[in-house]
Amino acid sequence: MLFGQKINKIKTLFFIAVAISFASSCKEETSTYRSFISPLIGLNVKSGNDVEVKLLFGKDKPVDSVVYLIDTIKSVSKTDTAAVKLKTEGLILGNHIITAKIYNGSEFEDLTTNINILSAKAPDLYTYKVIAKFPHDTTAYVEGLEYHDGFFYEGTGEKGNSYLKKVDIKSGKALQQVKLDTAYFGEGMTVVGDKILQITWQEKTAFEYDKNTFKLIKKFPFSVGQAGWGLAFDGEKILNSDGTNTIYFLDKNNYSQIGSIDVYDDKGAISQLNELEVIDGKIYANVYLTNDIVIIDPKTGAVEGKIDLNGLFPIRDYFKTDGERENNVLNGIAYDKVSKRLFVAGKKWPYIFEIKISKK
């Protein structure tokens, strides 16, 4: 992606929480004012940890009972105003609404706050070893990269320089290619059976090609997510990133959205997810503007591993201006399922690298 902005789908709004806490502390015990004391809005909680819930009730309004819900599911019911602990085990990662329904006879009042469920454990850290390197077209602004049948398939970006290519690995030369109209900024691509899907960045347009001939089958509107970034295919469904911490699941036949996951490690949301690959059932994703590839559980969105690719290519020495250095970052992951080879690339880098990873 070019000039991607980090976007957190779940804002913590800490300043609001502070204001609420301050207001609560200033109220007399006899006040009718009610609010959450804990958890604060946007509190991060590791999956499996209990959440303490404590309310400021005030004494002017009688309380018969309190029902606590996580999202719309009842969690705990109490006939007193004591603090409670809510269990998070089994909740999907991401944002959840906590509601306290405070009853007085048939009347009730709802109070709400929210929490973010994070991965239960820190990701395993990986380093790498370069096995081989292959020539790469230095005009190709890599947005999508895949390996199939002994060839690289590559989608490139920049208006006027956006292509879909089938590339000879040894020479780096394009054997087949289609150039997109100059109105389009090409983005991710993926091979789906005998077809290739390629999306665009901000033009909300996608292209379906015949894999063998590169003939355009159809051009159609594509508006999944906030923008087009990365694509991959796991054999059953298409995966699509949009620069946030969300990965969308698409139907392989009509490209409609059929699900999604939000990606978190043990510290918070991992945004700027870019080029994607599925390897041995796990999602590998470039984190834009970094030298990291994260390994994601496709069922939960938890980051299970992180590959540190610092030092793979000397960007500061090779590119001459700050603008070139900032934009021509690591991007592109491909996998040879037969020979178990992992390839990584960068935008306009002169090489595609075959690497082997290992835990630190």
Side-chain angles (χ1 to χ4, degrees):
M1 193 61 257
L2 179 65
F3 304 126
Q5 298 297 315
K6 184 174 182 180
I7 298 174
N8 290 321
K9 293 186 67 182
I10 302 165
K11 298 179 181 178
T12 58
L13 301 179
F14 178 73
F15 66 94
I16 295 178
V18 172
I20 291 173
S21 297
F22 178 77
S24 300
S25 67
C26 294
K27 297 290 180 179
E28 298 292 336
E29 286 190 356
T30 57
S31 170
T32 59
Y33 181 82
R34 288 174 168 174
S35 70
F36 273 90
I37 296 174
S38 67
L40 295 179
I41 293 173
L43 178 70
N44 289 331
V45 181
K46 289 186 179 181
S47 179
N49 289 357
D50 292 345
V51 179
E52 183 179 53
V53 178
K54 187 175 181 180
L55 302 180
L56 175 70
F57 286 96
K59 293 189 175 180
D60 287 358
K61 293 182 180 180
V63 177
D64 293 337
S65 63
V66 186
V67 176
Y68 298 90
L69 302 92
I70 300 180
D71 298 324
T72 59
I73 307 300
K74 179 179 175 181
S75 180
V76 175
S77 181
K78 299 283 288 186
T79 57
D80 57 50
T81 57
V84 299
K85 289 188 176 180
L86 305 184
K87 296 186 179 299
T88 66
E89 186 174 357
L91 294 178
I92 63 171
L93 302 188
N95 183 51
H96 294 273
I97 303 298
I98 295 178
T99 301
K101 298 183 81 71
I102 306 171
Y103 285 88
N104 174 23
S106 61
E107 298 181 352
F108 66 88
E109 178 181 354
D110 282 353
L111 301 179
T112 60
T113 187
N114 78 294
I115 58 174
N116 299 319
I117 302 298
L118 310 184
S119 177
K121 63 183 290 290
D124 294 326
L125 301 180
Y126 290 82
T127 187
Y128 67 94
K129 177 182 179 182
V130 174
I131 303 301
K133 59 183 182 180
F134 304 91
H136 178 249
D137 180 1
T138 55
T139 68
Y141 194 78
V142 180
E143 297 291 4
L145 183 70
E146 293 196 2
Y147 175 96
H148 293 275
D149 309 319
F151 303 96
F152 287 133
Y153 289 79
E154 183 175 358
T156 68
E158 296 182 326
K159 289 188 175 181
N161 197 35
S162 293
Y163 288 86
L164 174 68
K165 300 179 180 182
K166 178 180 179 180
V167 178
D168 178 74
I169 291 180
K170 291 185 177 180
S171 68
K173 302 295 184 181
L175 303 176
Q176 289 175 275
Q177 66 179 30
V178 174
K179 186 176 183 180
L180 275 62
D181 187 274
T182 56
Y184 298 110
F185 190 117
E187 272 288 345
M189 54 72 56
T190 191
V191 175
V192 184
D194 60 357
K195 298 175 182 177
I196 299 175
L197 174 67
Q198 184 179 27
I199 57 177
T200 56
W201 178 24
Q202 296 179 321
E203 294 79 32
K204 297 187 180 301
T205 302
F207 305 91
E208 182 184 87
Y209 302 93
D210 181 278
K211 178 191 171 191
N212 296 316
T213 65
F214 273 36
K215 181 180 178 180
L216 179 66
I217 298 173
K218 64 179 178 179
K219 180 178 76 173
F220 58 97
F222 185 86
S223 58
V224 177
Q226 66 168 18
W229 284 49
L231 290 177
F233 181 55
D234 68 2
E236 297 180 356
K237 60 186 177 297
I238 297 167
L239 287 68
N240 172 215
S241 65
D242 71 341
T244 67
N245 71 313
T246 298
I247 294 176
Y248 301 91
F249 301 144
L250 314 180
D251 184 279
K252 66 180 179 181
N253 296 310
N254 60 25
Y255 310 129
S256 63
Q257 183 182 340
I258 56 175
S260 66
I261 54 171
D262 292 330
V263 177
Y264 288 82
D265 65 8
D266 62 318
K267 300 288 195 305
I270 303 299
S271 296
Q272 305 282 69
L273 298 175
N274 201 358
E275 220 273 314
L276 306 172
E277 184 64 83
V278 179
I279 302 174
D280 296 332
K282 303 296 182 181
I283 303 171
Y284 285 55
N286 285 115
V287 181
Y288 185 55
L289 299 178
T290 77
N291 288 315
D292 294 334
I293 291 175
V294 290
I295 303 171
I296 304 162
D297 183 330
K299 294 181 179 179
T300 67
V303 176
E304 298 183 334
K306 182 181 292 185
I307 309 170
D308 180 358
L309 289 171
N310 275 303
L312 178 63
F313 181 69
I315 290 178
R316 298 205 64 80
D317 295 334
Y318 182 81
F319 294 107
K320 304 307 180 186
T321 69
D322 288 341
E324 290 176 335
R325 295 175 188 127
E326 290 169 0
N327 287 307
N328 294 317
V329 295
L330 182 76
N331 197 50
I333 310 167
Y335 188 61
D336 176 357
K337 295 179 181 179
V338 176
S339 300
K340 307 295 183 184
R341 293 186 295 170
L342 175 62
F343 304 96
V344 295
K347 299 176 183 293
K348 298 188 177 181
W349 289 12
Y351 305 108
I352 293 176
F353 294 89
E354 178 189 344
I355 63 170
K356 183 175 182 180
I357 63 172
S358 58
K359 286 185 180 180
K360 288 186 176 180

